[in-house]
Amino acid sequence: MNSTQAALRDEVRQLAEEAFRCKLISGHGDGPDINEYQIVYQGKPRHISLEQARFFLTNLLYRSGIY
């Protein structure tokens, strides 16, 4: 994993932790692939790319008024 990917994974982890604390998602963690992240949203685990995860979480937090 290169440094850009590591930084993106860290950013996604921070966004997911914030969304989890706000009870917008019910879980999160590394996906089975190094380029994926797992987000449990509305009771369903979703494995999505890091870029999509960042977009999804940012959008979710923005719509909820957090950001």
Side-chain angles (χ1 to χ4, degrees):
M1 179 183 302
N2 64 35
S3 63
T4 304
Q5 226 176 359
L8 178 57
R9 182 172 293 283
D10 288 342
E11 181 182 356
V12 168
R13 221 177 251 134
Q14 289 173 355
L15 289 167
E17 192 57 40
E18 181 67 25
F20 181 75
R21 279 194 298 265
C22 294
K23 298 183 180 3
L24 300 173
I25 61 174
S26 55
H28 64 93
D30 292 329
D33 184 334
I34 196 166
N35 296 318
E36 289 185 343
Y37 202 76
Q38 178 178 307
I39 298 170
V40 182
Y41 179 65
Q42 295 180 340
K44 298 176 187 167
R46 303 163 199 274
H47 298 270
I48 55 179
S49 73
L50 292 172
E51 293 85 8
Q52 288 175 324
R54 178 176 56 186
F55 178 77
F56 173 78
L57 291 165
T58 302
N59 231 5
L60 191 63
L61 289 163
Y62 179 77
R63 285 184 302 181
S64 71
I66 306 296
Y67 285 162

